[in-house]
Amino acid sequence: MGRRPARCYRQIKNKPYPKSRFCRGVPDPKIRIYDVGMKKKGVDEFPFCVHLVSWEKENVSSEALEAARIACNKYMAKFAGKDAFHLRVRVHPFHVLRINKMLSCAGADRLQTGMRGAFGKPLGTCARVAIGQVLLSVRCKDGNSHHAQEALRRAKFKFPGRQKIIVSRKWGFTKFNRNDYVKFKSEGKIQPDGVNAKLYGCHGALANRQPGKAFLSPPLPPPPNLHHHFPPHLPPPPLQFSPRFPAPPKPFAAGGLRFFSFKPDAGNAKRVLEKPLAAASSTFHRYQEALGLQVEAFWKRNNLVLVGAGGVVVCAILWKIMSGIASTFVHLSEGMAKYGFLALSSAMVAFAGLYLRSRYTINPDKVYRIAMTKLNTSAGILEVMGAPLTGSDLRAYIMSGGGFQLKKFKPTLRSKRCFLVFPIRGSERKGLVNVEVKKKKGQYDMKLLAVDIPMASGPDQRLFLIGDEEEYKVGGGLISELRDPVVKAMAAEKIFDNLDQIEDEEDAERERLEAERKDREEIEKLEKDGKDGTQ
């Protein structure tokens, strides 16, 4: 038995019936996302606000709320841009709808008791809305106000009853009028609080207030208590510089020149003779960073040789250990045991090297597969681009980081990063995927996953699944540098297809002419043989 039409549950009757320990087995509501778009944009980014207000007292099903959210989000993402608005669903479907299933087959009266025990089982959820209650709210910039109103007009068709679109006088989702918000902002009385804002009040301690201001500002650090270490009847002594602690020198002269001192330390030689170990330790700490840089540079120049030598040494040690074990417990020939365990130790070293390589290096193919999995399971991306999403063999990537490093003579392995760019195609749109992955402790940590979608009008839109615009600019814009050759290759793909088609046609024409030439030669040869036979 399918769902009943929404008109069966439109009227509000009886008390609210929410999900509880007494009402179990309630299906999940269809709407799971209540904030869409750039929900983390600050309060100053989107000043314009418009509401879709219910003009009837009725029940609104969770299916209708989800359909309205999708319609509004799709229109705004297409015409205003994915990062140009914030949509919020203001009602939640907490009321549980019930259904008393009735049989419609022959002999149903023998199987059920009619209206006896007709309380019903949970069927779905809905929201109980009143007249004047806000259903959807959109905040954006003033330039996209007409797009927001049109998006809400289209969302109206998903609801029963009557609704009205009301342009708010408030600043975004705040409670302040636009003129008051601008005034409070200029006077420094507003503190941004996510998508909302707080107004500094007049209450609180006078010590936390700046002089000449009636409104409170952010809390100031407490003044230093100079009388803390002195008796209350004695004032604190004035600050003076003693000969033991001279006043700090002025490194710059009046003319802008800086003075440096190169006077030899007379007490240094005396300290070396009295405490040689302490002097050697201080010298080592002084040049520790320089020595670490030298060792690191030596490792970068000769890392392959050192790794190979280390592998040979480990292989020889394992060979000796296993050879001793073999000579003790295995009664075989000495040469056979030695060379067999040599092969075993070599295999162990090789597998250890492969394991270390797989743990501390990044595989671009695996990064590509992880990114495609995340994209194909993202509802927002599938809604904009259309399912299913398919990639291509065209990819560009850059590896950075990794390697051995010495910090204060403590060997460390630097994390490796991979910047990957590849095109993607959906049923409705095409795009370019930008990925940044860091391998940390053998695990792939995705720092950035964004999709650039070309728009029919206006600049390209960038959708961020992971990361933000700041992460996109990491490394001096490596992603943007990778993007250009991929875009050129995508643009040249059509040219290459045309060239391939022309070459295929030329090859077909050449083969046809060659076949015609061979046919003519055979015909001429047969005619010549016929003439020779008649003569």
Side-chain angles (χ1 to χ4, degrees), residues 465-487:
L465 270 74
I466 300 174
D468 51 12
E469 195 68 34
E470 296 297 327
E471 194 68 33
Y472 190 86
K473 299 176 182 178
V474 167
L478 277 176
I479 292 288
S480 59
E481 295 294 333
L482 277 178
R483 187 176 182 273
D484 296 338
V486 175
V487 171

Side-chain angles (χ1 to χ4, degrees), residues 464-531:
F464 288 94
L465 270 74
I466 300 174
D468 51 12
E469 195 68 34
E470 296 297 327
E471 194 68 33
Y472 190 86
K473 299 176 182 178
V474 167
L478 277 176
I479 292 288
S480 59
E481 295 294 333
L482 277 178
R483 187 176 182 273
D484 296 338
V486 175
V487 171
K488 291 180 180 178
M490 291 172 62
E493 186 175 357
K494 189 173 182 180
I495 300 175
F496 293 151
D497 291 341
N498 295 334
L499 291 176
D500 292 340
Q501 185 177 359
I502 293 172
E503 290 178 359
D504 292 340
E505 292 176 355
E506 291 179 352
D507 292 340
E509 182 69 20
R510 193 180 301 109
E511 291 176 358
R512 187 182 63 81
L513 294 176
E514 185 68 19
E516 290 179 357
R517 185 183 63 80
K518 288 183 178 180
D519 290 341
R520 286 198 302 269
E521 289 180 355
E522 290 180 359
I523 292 171
E524 291 177 358
K525 185 177 181 181
L526 290 175
E527 290 178 353
K528 187 177 180 181
D529 291 343
K531 289 180 180 180

Side-chain angles (χ1 to χ4, degrees), residues 59 149 362 376 445 480:
N59 286 329
Q149 296 178 49
I362 296 179
N376 274 300
D445 182 14
S480 59

